Amino acid sequence: MFRRTDTRTTRTTRTTRTPALVATALAAAAALALTASGTATAATAPGFLNGTDLPPHPSSPWYPGKITKGLPEDAPFCLDGVLPAAGSWHRAFGTEFDTGAVQISVRAASGAAAAKLTTALERKVAACAADWLRANPGGTASWQDYGKLTVEEGAHVYGVGASIPESEPGVHLYGIGRDGSTVTVVKWGQMGNLPDAPVSAFKKTTTTAVNKLNRS
């Protein structure tokens, strides 16, 4: 390989700066640094699950998407209209088959605001089966409260199953939890019924999700 020597001459132009100009430049630089620092802090995403943290699929690895600011383009089943866009981040997961998952986390303004959001999410999921049946006459739906988990400010796991005639049934698990002012919800789903859901493994997933929220 040959190295080319650049024989061009660089011309240097000297600029005389007065003390006032120097002071103004330094002040502007300091303000810019503070703004950038504040923006970076505000934009910091919570900790998210990895594919290996989800219930293992018997025939496929999990493929995690990017951690993305904002809500998913399409609201996950049972979660429409309850999650705020402000302070939200999400990550989607997929497999080679019909099983998928998504985690959405929200940095709320305070612990009280986070607790309120957690309650709203739990109520939304608990009412999902009945709401779905009203919107889908002739369908079938059921739900299950799988109980609370002892992790940080707490977590709760639910299951929802729904189907319409001449269609495959779908089963969904939800893990909702909070660490301080940060709330997360993990939604897992695939074709099947509630008895097919990997509840024990999903409880571990939910605990891991909450534990990771504010870890650096």
Side-chain angles (χ1 to χ4, degrees):
M1 180 180 292
F2 295 97
R3 181 175 297 171
R4 179 180 295 174
T5 302
D6 193 343
T7 58
R8 292 177 295 179
T9 303
T10 302
R11 181 177 298 172
T12 302
T13 303
R14 293 184 178 179
T15 302
T16 302
R17 297 184 178 179
T18 65
L21 287 174
V22 173
T24 301
L26 289 174
L32 181 62
L34 286 173
T35 301
S37 176
T39 301
T41 300
T44 301
F48 272 78
L49 293 169
N50 295 315
T52 52
D53 297 320
L54 290 162
H57 191 282
S59 306
S60 171
W62 283 97
Y63 301 104
K66 292 182 179 180
I67 298 171
T68 305
K69 193 171 185 179
L71 297 174
E73 185 175 350
D74 297 318
F77 182 63
C78 292
L79 300 179
D80 55 301
V82 69
L83 286 158
S88 295
W89 297 78
H90 71 275
R91 188 178 206 179
F93 304 82
T95 65
E96 296 171 6
F97 297 91
D98 66 334
T99 307
V102 63
Q103 180 183 6
I104 304 169
S105 298
V106 181
R107 290 204 184 279
S110 64
K116 185 176 180 180
L117 176 58
T118 301
T119 299
L121 284 165
E122 291 179 348
R123 288 176 177 172
K124 181 76 172 179
V125 172
C128 180
D131 291 342
W132 188 87
L133 282 174
R134 281 191 289 270
N136 296 271
T140 60
S142 59
W143 77 287
Q144 183 69 46
D145 183 341
Y146 292 114
K148 297 181 179 180
L149 304 176
T150 305
V151 54
E152 299 301 340
E153 273 66 56
H156 210 133
V157 173
Y158 298 90
V160 177
S163 66
I164 56 176
E166 300 180 5
S167 178
E168 291 288 340
V171 58
H172 311 269
L173 294 177
Y174 300 84
I176 302 164
R178 178 170 73 93
D179 181 4
S181 60
T182 307
V183 178
T184 195
V185 53
V186 183
K187 185 263 184 189
W188 171 98
Q190 70 175 22
M191 292 182 183
N193 298 294
L194 283 176
D196 305 321
V199 177
S200 295
F202 188 75
K203 286 184 175 181
K204 294 178 182 178
T205 294
T206 302
T207 298
T208 300
V210 176
N211 276 327
K212 281 190 169 187
L213 284 176
N214 291 317
R215 287 186 180 178
S216 56

